[in-house]
Each structure stands twice: as structure tokens, then as C-alpha cells.
Amino acid sequence: MINLDNVTFRYGRKQPVLQELSIQLKPGHIYGLLGSNGAGKSSLMRLMAGLLYPTDGHIRVNGREPRRREPAFLEDLFFLPEDIDLPAITFARYVATMRAFYPRFNDEQFRAYLRAFQLPSTIGWLDELSLGQRKKFIISFGLATNTSVLLMDEPTNGLDIPSKAQFRKVVSAALLPDRLVVISTHQVRDLDALIDAVVLLNDHELLLNAPLEQVSQRLRFEISGRDLPADVLYAEPSLRGHAIVRENVDAADDTPIDLERLFNAAISSPQRMKTLFPAQKR
């Protein structure tokens, strides 16, 4: 469980990167953390991991305050940063050193993840790996730690299309009822068929925090002709007319969610989005 209560964060005296953020994230879910460049996604992930401290407000992860960096907190959370700088050591040395910090680390699972990503278990020096290989290696290690909280910042950067598909498979299979996964990305389509809830930041504040089931009940994703419906939240040209997002007046009749259109609709119509999702914790 992750709880943010009225959290504000700024660097020095600059304008707030995040302002009065209140969010509750529950285990058993894979959350997609979305937002424009500079919206504060990476800062939020680092706040959750205890690498940054809130200027105001409080954060609790499994009942603990991240900024204290207590051993019980550190061994139950794995944070994968966007930029991975692996040391100039061998595969075996890295695993032997780092696994000791995670009591539930599973060697068999780790090697299975490596095979899924088509990485040999006899990798040599880690600093000689390509960006994509480094990402596959650290994703595999992070999943094998079996921490209850897994935070991933732009994990699909550097992965080719087949590897992105494999990423979705291994992460979805690794979700358990007592595990909470948060994935931050600006490559929205990489999260299709993976996440079951979305957290969207805009203009330094929380704009949307909802399960996808609720999104599909309240919004429709359709192709419209030349004449746009009056209740349209967002529209973009397509070969068949306009790809639109509109209010769903019949909750029993939903449509497949398009995450990219959802993101664009939220950014272009923030007030209507807040009206449609009033029950979310802000």
C-alpha cells in the first residue's frame, strides 16, 4: 500500500514539481503513471522510493516513511530508474552482491526471466551490455526480488518491439495479490493490455486516478464521422473520420480503452475529466 497525503515537492525555491498530491495505491494492481515531460513522474517515483523528500505532506509505503530508508522498507521495495548505470563487474558478482539485500530473491525465477528476454545466464561484464540488454537484466533482477512494491521508471526505453511484448507478459505474470507495481512511461502504448489502473499527472497535480474498469464505464473510445458529438472530450483525425473520446451514457456498453487517446483527452479537457471521476483521491 502506498499513501500520499497532500504531498508537495519542489527543488529549492523553484516552482513546485508536484503540488498537494493525495494518492492511494493498493496491492494487486499494476498502475500506469502517465504525464507529459516535466509533469513530475520521475520525481514522484523517487519520492515513493525515499530518494527524494517531500517539501510538505506525508508519504507511507506499507506503513513506513520512505525518507527514513529503514532496512525493512528497503528490502521490500525495488526501484528501477530510467537511467541504468551498471558497475564494471561480472553478472555473477552483481547477483551475489545485490541478492543479499532482498530476502525473497529467487534464483530460479531470475534465470527464467533472463530466458524469457533471451539473455544468456552467462552474461560477462555488465558495463559492456547495450541499453536494451541492461534494461532486460535489471527488469529480470527486479522481478526476482519478489518485493511487495515494484517501481519502474521508463522500463521500456531501449527495448525493441518483441522485447516490449515480452515485458508485458513477464510483468503481468509476476503480479500477485500482495504485490503493487507502478510503471511510469511517456510511451503510453507500451502499457496496453498490461495495466489495470491509471494515474495521470498534469500541471504539477493529480488529474486522474482510476481503475480502467471505471474508465471504460464513463468514457467511450470510438471512430466518428465528420460531425462530432456534442459531448466529445477529444478528437483527432483518422483515415475513417475522427478518433474520439466521449462520455459513456450507457455503462453496460463499454468500448476498448485507447490509453493514448485517454491521455490526450485528460490533458485537453482536465475539468471535465475531474467531473467525470469525482470519487478519486486527489
Side-chain angles (χ1 to χ4, degrees), residues 66-140:
R67 66 186 301 163
R68 295 182 180 276
R69 305 282 288 172
E70 298 169 299
F73 166 80
L74 295 172
E75 70 183 23
D76 204 25
L77 180 146
F78 187 86
F79 173 56
L80 188 154
E82 178 179 3
D83 298 317
I84 299 174
D85 186 19
L86 293 176
I89 59 176
T90 64
F91 162 96
R93 178 69 180 275
Y94 180 92
V95 175
T97 302
M98 298 302 295
R99 72 188 309 277
F101 295 100
Y102 301 100
R104 294 191 294 277
F105 183 85
N106 188 300
D107 283 290
E108 184 177 341
Q109 289 179 356
F110 178 50
R111 296 183 185 276
Y113 293 134
L114 292 178
R115 290 193 298 269
F117 282 120
Q118 298 183 337
L119 280 177
S121 58
T122 54
I123 298 171
W125 294 86
L126 296 181
D127 62 328
E128 296 178 355
L129 298 178
S130 68
L131 173 60
Q133 289 173 324
R134 292 199 303 272
K135 280 291 178 79
K136 293 175 185 179
F137 173 80
I138 204 67
I139 289 169
S140 299

Side-chain angles (χ1 to χ4, degrees), residues 52-247:
L52 294 175
Y53 307 153
T55 307
D56 292 298
H58 302 280
I59 303 175
R60 295 282 177 179
V61 176
N62 292 335
R64 300 183 183 275
E65 193 175 1
R67 66 186 301 163
R68 295 182 180 276
R69 305 282 288 172
E70 298 169 299
F73 166 80
L74 295 172
E75 70 183 23
D76 204 25
L77 180 146
F78 187 86
F79 173 56
L80 188 154
E82 178 179 3
D83 298 317
I84 299 174
D85 186 19
L86 293 176
I89 59 176
T90 64
F91 162 96
R93 178 69 180 275
Y94 180 92
V95 175
T97 302
M98 298 302 295
R99 72 188 309 277
F101 295 100
Y102 301 100
R104 294 191 294 277
F105 183 85
N106 188 300
D107 283 290
E108 184 177 341
Q109 289 179 356
F110 178 50
R111 296 183 185 276
Y113 293 134
L114 292 178
R115 290 193 298 269
F117 282 120
Q118 298 183 337
L119 280 177
S121 58
T122 54
I123 298 171
W125 294 86
L126 296 181
D127 62 328
E128 296 178 355
L129 298 178
S130 68
L131 173 60
Q133 289 173 324
R134 292 199 303 272
K135 280 291 178 79
K136 293 175 185 179
F137 173 80
I138 204 67
I139 289 169
S140 299
F141 186 89
L143 290 170
T145 61
N146 288 295
T147 55
S148 68
V149 177
L150 179 59
L151 308 177
M152 298 184 177
D153 191 4
E154 302 288 355
T156 57
N157 278 2
L159 299 185
D160 57 23
I161 293 176
S163 297
K164 290 180 179 181
Q166 196 61 42
F167 169 79
R168 290 190 287 269
K169 290 180 183 178
V170 298
V171 173
S172 60
L175 182 66
L176 298 171
D178 60 349
R179 195 174 209 182
L180 190 164
V181 181
V182 183
I183 303 173
S184 169
T185 185
H186 68 278
Q187 302 181 42
V188 178
R189 294 198 181 279
D190 289 349
L191 300 186
D192 280 339
L194 173 60
I195 65 172
D196 61 357
V198 61
V199 176
L200 203 157
L201 301 178
N202 182 50
D203 197 21
H204 313 296
E205 66 176 5
L206 179 66
L207 180 55
L208 178 66
N209 178 21
L212 292 189
E213 181 180 4
Q214 187 181 72
V215 172
S216 65
Q217 290 173 349
R218 300 185 183 181
L219 296 175
R220 294 186 63 80
F221 300 81
E222 302 175 333
I223 299 297
S224 176
R226 231 184 222 182
D227 298 327
L228 297 177
D231 60 352
V232 66
L233 278 80
Y234 174 77
E236 61 184 41
S238 75
L239 292 176
R240 294 181 290 164
H242 287 86
I244 68 170
V245 181
R246 63 184 299 191
E247 296 182 32

